[in-house]
Each structure stands twice: as C-alpha cells, then as structure tokens.
Amino acid sequence: METANIVGMTKHNPDTSLDSLQIGIGIIGSGIRLQSILGQLLPLASGLQVKAIYDPDDSAVATCKERFAPEAAVCSGVEELCAREDVDWVFIGSWNCQHAEQAIAAMKAGKHVFCEKPLALTTDEALAMQQAQQESGCTFALGLVLRYSPLYRAIHSAIASGQIGNVLSFEFNETLGFRHGGYIHGNWRRHSKYAGPHILEKCCHDIDLALWFIDSLPLKVASFGGLNFFLPKNQHHQERIGNGPNGEVPFQHFVRYGNSNPFRTDKDIIDNQVAILEFANGVRASFHTNCLSGIPERRFYIIGDEGALRADAITGQLELRRIGWDEPTLLRQPIQGGSHAGSDAPMCRELAECMAGQRPPAASINEGMRSLIVAQGIDTAMQTGQVVELSPFYEAAGLV
Ligand SMILES: NC(=O)c1ccc[n+]([C@@H]2O[C@H](COP(=O)([O-])OP(=O)(O)OC[C@H]3O[C@@H](n4cnc5c(N)ncnc54)[C@H](O)[C@@H]3O)[C@@H](O)[C@H]2O)c1
C-alpha cells in the first residue's frame, strides 16, 4: 500500500502499470453512483481493492460489500475510515452537502480523493478543500465525468483547432427525461440544503463543459426559473401515462431505493430554468434545463465566425459545417449516446491511471470551483431577478 500514500504519487510515474497496482480504497457513501463506478473500475486492476466502507444506510453498505468486497471493514464514521492504514484513496459518493467536510478529513489524513460532483455547496467550502489539497499534496479527482467523454473531447478539439473559427455565441441545454426528472424531485436532491440548487447539482457538468469549450469565464449571468410541474395538482399525469411494461410507475425511477412520489414531496428546487451568460471574451450563451422532457437532450449548438457545431450527448451525434457555398456537413457518431455520452468507462480507465500516478485527473478542485461559482451566480440571478456580476467571486477564489 505504501506507493499510493506517497504524496509524490500525484506526480507522473508512467512506469507503474495497472497490473502492479496495490491500492486500498475507502468508500464514503456507497450509493448508486459509487457502486456504478466501482463496477467499472475494480475489474481494471486486481490490486484495486475496497478495504473499508462507511455509509449510514446499512443496506447500501451491505449491497456494496456483497458486490465488491465481502471482506471490507464496515466503519462507524469518516474519521475511523480515514485513519485506516490500508486505505490509500478515499472515494466520496455521499450527498453533496457532505463532500467538503469528508474530503478535507480524508486529505488531512493523507489520503488521495476521488469525490463526486459537485465539488461543494459554497465557495468557502471549496476554498477550504483547496487549502487542504495544497497542504496535503494529495491528488484530488472530481467526478465531472463528461470531461472524459469522446464526444465532448471531439467538440473541445474541434473548437480549439479552429474548425469553426472564433466562437461568437452558443446554446446549450439539459432537458431530462420524465423518469430522471421525477427521480430528482423524489429523492434527497429535492432539498437544496443537501444537494444545492438544481443548476449546481445536475447542471454543473454542462456549465463545466461550456467553460472548458469557450476557455473563458462568464462575467454576467441572468436567469428565470421555477417549480411548475412537480406539484400535487399535476399528479394526474401519472394516471394519464399509466404504468410501464414492467410495472414501472411514471416519474418514479428507482422506487426500490425508497424515492417518494415527486408530486407529493416537499421541496425547494425548480423543475425548469433558463439562463443567459456573457463571457469575458465576449461570447454569449443561453442555457435551458427542464425535468420532464418528452425529447431529452443534452445539446450544444455553437456558432463561430467560420462554421457551426451541433452535438447531442443523448444521440451521440456531432455535426460540424463550415460557412461556405458547398461545404459538406461533417457528421460523426463518435460513441454511443446516453446522458453521460459514453464517459463512465473512460473516466474509470483514466482514474485507474491517475491512481497509478500515470496522469493527473481531467477535473479537480479548480474545475469544480469554477462551475460552482457560475451555478451559484445563476441561482442568485434567478432568486433575485437581477443580473449577477461574477468577477468578485472569481477574485475571492483566486481564479483570476
Ligand atoms: N458524475 C455523475 O454523473 C453523477 C451521477 C450521479 C450521482 N453523482 C453524485 O454522486 C453522489 C451520490 O449520488 P447517488 O446517485 O449515488 O445517490 P445515492 O442516494 O444513491 O447515494 C448516496 C449515499 O450517500 C449516503 N449518505 C448519506 N449521508 C451520508 C454521510 N453523512 N456520510 C456518508 N454517506 C452518506 C446515503 O446513505 C447513500 O447511500 C452525489 O454527490 C451525486 O451528485 C454524480
């Protein structure tokens, strides 16, 4: 286990092959997401082993143990897990409000961290994480999984290599299928004190991609949004649609995990929102999110002075056409579609390589901090009805 505990492990060590890895993993929050990641990560190297689990939900611990590590220790808290010598990396898949405290505890104990998105709920929390990372020298990988998608990497490279010229403006969206939207409004994510606002909890991915593609930070944001559908008066839509072929209740995905009826729950998040953004480099954008779409999309439509690019994660399609009389439309289907655009497997592969010291993570604290600030700004703009200036937040976070 010693190799991974060396702080310098974060520095490139291309000679460490995945076959020779011996890394103990501690799991904090053994829910759906981390179990999905472990299912793809652990088969990559037999020396990647779950040594300890902490989750206040006994059933989540039991499933995780049964699936991945029958021998793993069950810990009674974060402190106990982080104190274990056989744990080199701590994986955090708890509720968003717990990420900061748990990640700081892990790094203070000298453990490298993989933490699910969003980074944190407030800039102060994010700054404390940054400080803990700098003081410990530990690696911090953030689960902004779409950064690993071949589709999104193709978009980034098309823009960076000038294929559409200088970007002028763009649209992007995340309109969720009705089951996914109902799931959000039925579980812990419906309370912003646990998850943050929807624009952070769900759309931090899309914001992060926009900032990465445009290579600039938005200085001004405005937004409107509200809760208009997941209300008791609309429950009749469940009867209208009827149960699915296998008895699935509409709008109630993952019922087995105890999710409540999204029409009846108390909540303080929105189910539809629009935002506009103006970037420091002059680029302008509009964003649209909705939790009950009949045609789910995760789409970017980006216009440059030499061409345009349109891509949708759900279908996996990417079109690019340069401005001109007879320019062909370049249509590429780089990978399967889906809300994560085929990014889970490459993220796990690169995470294993990161754990081996072969590469840095594609997303870490700075990326999480940027998307957090922009999401917070958009939420404040929606709450107040005012245009929000973001420069002071970037300055406070040392990003400019
Ligand atoms: N990157 C992605 O695309 C993606 C996708 C889904 C979820 N996520 C993130 O993963 C995290 C978990 O989401 P999920 O879908 O697995 O939710 P989940 O509800 O299935 O799992 C969360 C787990 O955290 C546990 N938990 C609650 N309080 C805890 C505490 N104090 N300490 C430790 N564990 C605690 C719960 O019991 C539960 O088992 C969230 O941060 C979410 O934003 C990321």
Side-chain angles (χ1 to χ4, degrees):
M1 298 302 134
E2 209 180 358
T3 33
N5 267 336
I6 297 168
V7 163
M9 189 70 184
T10 58
K11 301 198 173 69
H12 286 207
N13 186 4
D15 297 333
T16 312
S17 80
L18 295 188
D19 293 338
S20 62
L21 274 187
Q22 285 298 319
I23 290 183
I25 299 172
I27 299 294
I28 298 180
S30 52
I32 297 173
R33 182 59 184 161
L34 280 196
Q35 290 200 32
S36 164
I37 288 176
L38 292 173
Q40 296 176 75
L41 177 77
L42 298 185
L44 297 175
S46 59
L48 290 174
Q49 291 176 353
V50 175
K51 297 290 186 185
I53 306 173
Y54 167 62
D55 189 311
D57 179 347
D58 292 343
S59 66
V61 174
T63 326
C64 192
K65 257 174 86 77
E66 190 185 317
R67 282 186 69 188
F68 305 110
E71 310 297 323
V74 177
C75 296
S76 59
V78 170
E79 207 177 319
E80 183 190 330
L81 182 138
C82 293
R84 291 184 66 93
E85 288 195 358
D86 59 356
V87 168
D88 306 301
W89 274 75
V90 170
F91 279 34
I92 299 172
S94 54
W95 295 355
N96 306 342
C97 60
Q98 292 142 1
H99 291 180
E101 190 181 335
Q102 295 173 344
I104 290 168
M107 289 187 281
K108 284 193 169 164
K111 312 298 182 186
H112 304 298
V113 172
F114 169 79
C115 180
E116 259 310 335
K117 48 54 58 178
L119 181 67
L121 295 195
T122 68
T123 316
D124 284 348
E125 284 180 346
L127 285 169
M129 293 167 98
Q130 189 177 54
Q131 189 180 347
Q133 198 262 332
Q134 284 165 354
E135 287 173 1
S136 67
C138 294
T139 303
F140 186 96
L142 185 64
L144 285 170
V145 64
L146 300 187
R147 285 235 180 191
Y148 299 82
S149 146
L151 175 69
Y152 288 119
R153 286 183 172 176
I155 297 173
H156 183 266
S157 122
I159 295 171
S161 60
Q163 290 187 50
I164 59 169
N166 297 308
V167 175
L168 298 171
S169 60
F170 67 102
E171 299 169 24
F172 60 132
N173 70 2
E174 185 181 18
T175 54
L176 299 171
F178 68 106
R179 299 186 75 201
H180 197 159
Y183 168 63
I184 285 171
H185 284 259
N187 80 358
W188 56 268
R189 290 166 171 83
R190 71 186 189 272
H191 297 295
S192 61
K193 66 180 174 187
Y194 301 140
H198 179 74
I199 190 80
L200 174 69
E201 149 53 27
K202 195 71 195 72
C203 311
C204 62
H205 289 293
D206 309 277
I207 293 171
D208 172 59
L209 292 172
L211 273 47
W212 182 42
F213 295 158
I214 302 308
D215 195 21
S216 181
L217 291 169
L219 296 184
K220 290 181 186 175
V221 293
S223 179
F224 299 100
L227 177 70
N228 297 87
F229 182 72
F230 286 109
L231 299 167
K233 68 176 183 183
N234 288 321
Q235 193 174 344
H236 62 91
H237 286 282
Q238 288 188 300
E239 287 91 68
R240 178 180 63 75
I241 294 170
N243 284 1
N246 299 313
E248 308 95 322
V249 181
F251 299 100
Q252 280 185 255
H253 201 29
F254 291 136
V255 176
R256 67 184 184 282
Y257 293 100
N259 291 312
S260 314
N261 185 316
F263 296 98
R264 294 276 159 198
T265 48
D266 58 323
K267 57 181 92 69
D268 67 347
I269 60 165
I270 54 85
D271 56 29
N272 67 94
Q273 184 170 9
V274 293
I276 50 175
L277 305 86
E278 187 170 66
F279 286 75
N281 63 2
V283 172
R284 300 188 181 93
S286 66
F287 179 68
H288 172 206
T289 183
N290 194 304
C291 292
L292 58 136
S293 164
I295 306 177
E297 282 190 337
R298 203 164 205 173
R299 181 172 51 85
F300 272 87
Y301 179 31
I302 305 175
I303 296 181
D305 58 9
E306 294 182 26
L309 181 159
R310 182 164 55 189
D312 178 27
I314 309 294
T315 61
Q317 288 207 339
L318 167 61
E319 298 161 86
L320 191 153
R321 187 163 184 250
R322 288 181 57 80
I323 296 171
W325 301 116
D326 294 315
E327 293 289 345
T329 298
L330 307 172
L331 185 65
R332 206 177 141 193
Q333 281 182 279
I335 193 150
Q336 82 269 21
S339 62
H340 287 183
S343 55
D344 284 323
M347 182 184 79
C348 290
R349 177 86 210 167
E350 291 188 25
L351 181 56
E353 291 167 0
C354 172
M355 294 170 88
Q358 294 173 2
R359 58 160 76 226
S364 187
I365 289 183
N366 269 1
E367 290 73 23
M369 182 99 75
R370 288 188 196 121
S371 57
L372 168 63
I373 290 174
V374 176
Q376 277 181 331
I378 293 173
D379 184 56
T380 304
M382 183 191 75
Q383 303 287 354
T384 61
Q386 304 289 317
V387 172
V388 172
E389 306 260 356
L390 296 179
S391 298
F393 301 99
Y394 301 135
E395 282 161 22
L399 290 174
V400 288

